[in-house]
């Protein structure tokens, strides 16, 4: 009957998560905001007019601990790359990942932009 079909349509699919669908995007936004808060543009790089994007890769454990940080793509400036590595140390620990993400450690890759304004 129609009532049975309606009940099935309203019920979550087997294995579907009833958790917050915004949890992962919100967490990623928190991570980026935290990194931006701790970013420092090296004065020697500014004086030389250096700019670029360093790709920062690392893992975050369930408690927000940072593991294996490294530059996966250089900005082209050793000063900016060094500032990026110092940034992750200042910003740690990170916000813990939401339960919607599986695993003991979550791999992250974030572009860190350095633009002279």
């Amino acid at each position: 009957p129609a009532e049975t079909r309606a009940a099935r349509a309203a019920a979550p699919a087997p294995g579907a998560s009833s958790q917050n669908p915004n949890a992962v995007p919100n967490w990623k936004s928190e991570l980026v905001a935290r990194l931006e808060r701790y970013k420092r543009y090296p004065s020697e790089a500014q004086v030389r007019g250096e700019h670029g994007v360093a790709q920062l890769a690392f893992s975050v454990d369930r408690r927000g601990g940072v593991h294996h940080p490294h530059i996966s793509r250089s900005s082209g400036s050793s000063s900016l790359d060094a500032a990026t590595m110092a940034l992750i140390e200042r910003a740690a620990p990170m916000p813990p990942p939401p339960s919607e993400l599986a695993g003991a450690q979550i791999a992250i890759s974030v572009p860190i932009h350095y633009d002279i304004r």
Side-chain angles (χ1 to χ4, degrees):
E3 293 136 0
T4 306
R5 283 194 303 270
R8 272 194 223 127
S17 172
S18 61
Q19 297 175 347
N20 182 357
N22 296 322
V24 173
N26 290 346
W27 176 67
K28 288 181 179 179
S29 293
E30 284 180 46
L31 277 177
V32 170
R34 185 168 181 84
L35 291 169
E36 283 297 318
R37 234 183 351 265
Y38 285 90
K39 183 169 77 173
R40 306 284 182 268
Y41 206 129
S43 56
E44 68 274 7
Q46 285 181 323
V47 167
R48 290 193 298 258
E50 295 176 0
H51 57 90
V53 180
Q55 192 71 29
L56 175 63
F58 57 96
S59 295
V60 178
D61 67 26
R62 288 279 154 208
R63 299 170 87 191
V66 173
H67 301 272
H68 315 294
H70 63 282
I71 302 295
S72 61
R73 189 176 67 237
S74 175
S75 65
S77 161
S78 59
S79 294
L80 297 180
D81 291 350
T84 301
M85 292 303 295
L87 153 69
I88 192 65
E89 290 181 28
R90 281 192 305 276
M94 292 291 155
S99 60
E100 286 81 355
L101 288 172
Q105 292 188 4
I106 312 304
I108 301 292
S109 183
V110 181
I112 307 296
H113 297 263
Y114 295 92
D115 297 310
I116 297 175
R117 294 183 185 156

